[in-house]
């Protein structure tokens, strides 16, 4: 336990919030433009009845790229490592999350599951007879990790992304040509945009982070929600690729496994420690929450959370 001081957490939020002015909310998904750039919220979950919160914690936001960690968990449980990693690699990339450039390299498989191309390939592997069933698998996984059965997806944001996802469409068609994706592209995009639009609060995120942090076990139900070796794979990808092409600097400054999304959400999983959920929609040029990163850096330094 890091025994968080609530007042200290509130002060840290106020301090980190100042960075928001230098960021911008994502606008390439039209519905995300509505976010308030000044918002900053955090939840730190340390097990049963110990969740410290500060900032606008009642705000809901969509997972966006944070969902890549969850779809990877489900695909690995459904298909096993050898199938999943025959379609997607394990190496970080210095390119932006939506880059197409490395796809053309032989053997034409995306570099890792945390960039869009890799995540689309991973989502295509989730088992289910219909897209609804596949989405249902993902949602029940989220329900199980959070204990919150009310979590669903934001239809407006999903639709807004589906209608404008021309880059993701081109990634899919390229991968379909090369046999990385075997299912129908429009169906995959419809599933992927709903997966990205799953709507949570910081507290929900912190609880998911806690499961990943603590060997995949759920503290309240005692259930092994994620097999141990898969929880380790998730944390490793979060360290090496979780903040896209800012992952190296983030590892040095903050040093905890974390995953960000263009909604401004961030989920951190400190091994054998807390799960952390942050929401701050002002982004820097790499697509990471600018105030969220400052806040996590301050928290990591204050409570010595770096794993290195
Ligand atoms: N970086 C992100 O959060 C990207 C997720 C977003 N849904 C996309 O595919 O573009």
């Amino acid at each position: 336990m890091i025994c968080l001081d609530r007042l200290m957490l509130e002060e840290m939020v106020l301090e980190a919030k100042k960075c928001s002015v230098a960021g911008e909310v994502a606008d390439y998904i039209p519905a995300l433009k509505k976010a308030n750039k000044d918002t900053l919220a955090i939840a730190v979950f340390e097990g049963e009845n110990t969740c410290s919160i500060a900032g606008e914690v009642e705000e809901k936001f969509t997972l966006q790229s944070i969902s890549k960690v969850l779809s990877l968990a489900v695909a690995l449980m459904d298909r096993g490592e050898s199938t999943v990693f025959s379609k997607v690699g394990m190496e970080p990339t210095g390119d932006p999350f939506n880059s197409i450039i490395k796809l053309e390299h032989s053997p034409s498989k995306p570099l890792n599951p945390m960039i869009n191309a890799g995540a689309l390939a991973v989502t295509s592997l989730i088992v289910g007879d219909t897209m609804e069933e596949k989405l249902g698998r993902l949602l029940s996984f989220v329900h199980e990790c959070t204990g919150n059965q009310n979590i669903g997806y934001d239809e407006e944001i999903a639709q807004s992304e589906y209608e404008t996802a021309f880059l993701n469409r081109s990634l899919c068609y390229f991968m379909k040509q090369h046999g990385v994706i075997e299912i129908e592209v429009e169906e995959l995009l419809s599933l992927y945009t709903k997966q990205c639009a799953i709507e949570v609060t910081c507290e929900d995120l912190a609880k998911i982070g806690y499961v990943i942090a603590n060997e995949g076990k759920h503290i309240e139900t005692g259930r092994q929600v994620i097999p141990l070796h898969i929880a380790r794979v998730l944390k490793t990808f979060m360290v090496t690729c979780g903040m896209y092409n800012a992952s190296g600097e983030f590892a040095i400054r903050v040093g905890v496994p974390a995953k960000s999304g263009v909604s401004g959400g961030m989920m951190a999983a400190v091994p054998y420690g807390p799960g952390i959920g942050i929401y701050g929609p002002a982004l820097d040029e790499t697509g990471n929450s600018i105030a969220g990163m400052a806040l996590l850096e301050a928290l990591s330094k204050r409570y010595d959370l770096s794993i290195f």
Side-chain angles (χ1 to χ4, degrees), residues 174-188:
F174 188 93
M175 291 191 285
K176 177 114 178 160
Q177 174 71 35
H178 291 280
V180 176
I181 283 173
E182 291 170 30
I183 66 174
E184 220 265 297
V185 168
E186 288 306 317
E187 286 202 338
L188 172 56

Side-chain angles (χ1 to χ4, degrees), residues 28-29 63-66 68 97 116 161 168 192 196 244 260-263:
Y28 75 99
I29 300 174
L63 287 175
Q64 298 303 331
S65 278
I66 301 168
K68 292 168 177 168
F97 64 87
N116 284 10
E161 179 171 14
N168 283 338
Y192 173 79
C196 288
Y244 322 114
S260 63
V262 288
S263 52

